[in-house]
């Protein structure tokens, strides 16, 4: 038997990690100043697959010292997961460059 540990595969989008927990998708790293939280608000059925129809997108500060309601820097709702990921990527790039 092999004693090697199984390496956990991390899903990346434009070089940043994506993590899903139920209807929540986190985009970015908690080690950075900002992270994106996306929440699927509505789904539609396409054949036998659930597809995100409406998604809430929030750019948040990762500082645990800041109250949770004050962590939200920007908020939007998008139609579909691709549109949500697209704006999330732009927001994180701008936040990292200090252009907010």
């Amino acid at each position: 038997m092999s004693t090697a540990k199984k390496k956990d595969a991390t899903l990346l989008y434009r070089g940043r990690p994506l993590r899903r927990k139920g209807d929540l998708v986190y985009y970015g790293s908690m080690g950075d100043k900002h992270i994106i939280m996306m929440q699927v608000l509505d789904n539609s059925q396409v054949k036998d697959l659930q597809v995100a129809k409406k998604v809430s997108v929030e750019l948040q500060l990762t500082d645990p010292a800041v109250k949770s309601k004050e962590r939200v820097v920007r908020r939007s709702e998008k139609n579909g997961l691709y549109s949500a990921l697209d704006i999330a990527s732009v927001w994180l790039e701008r936040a990292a460059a200090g252009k907010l």
Side-chain angles (χ1 to χ4, degrees), residues 45-79:
Q45 191 75 24
V46 177
K47 295 188 180 181
D48 53 339
L49 184 66
Q50 287 275 332
V51 177
K53 189 174 175 182
K54 183 173 266 188
V55 181
S56 168
V57 184
E58 292 183 354
L59 175 67
Q60 299 181 353
L61 294 168
T62 57
D63 186 354
V66 178
K67 293 180 184 177
S68 61
K69 286 189 176 189
E70 295 173 0
R71 286 185 195 163
V72 178
V73 177
R74 286 192 173 175
R75 177 179 294 154
S76 181
E77 282 189 14
K78 296 294 177 188
N79 293 322

Side-chain angles (χ1 to χ4, degrees), residues 6-12 18-19:
K6 184 177 178 182
K7 190 171 183 175
D8 191 25
T10 300
L11 183 62
L12 298 176
L18 276 169
R19 290 194 169 73

Side-chain angles (χ1 to χ4, degrees), residues 15-32:
R16 290 190 169 89
L18 276 169
R19 290 194 169 73
R20 177 178 175 223
K21 183 169 183 171
D23 284 341
L24 294 177
V25 178
Y26 294 95
Y27 178 49
S29 173
M30 289 301 288
D32 295 338

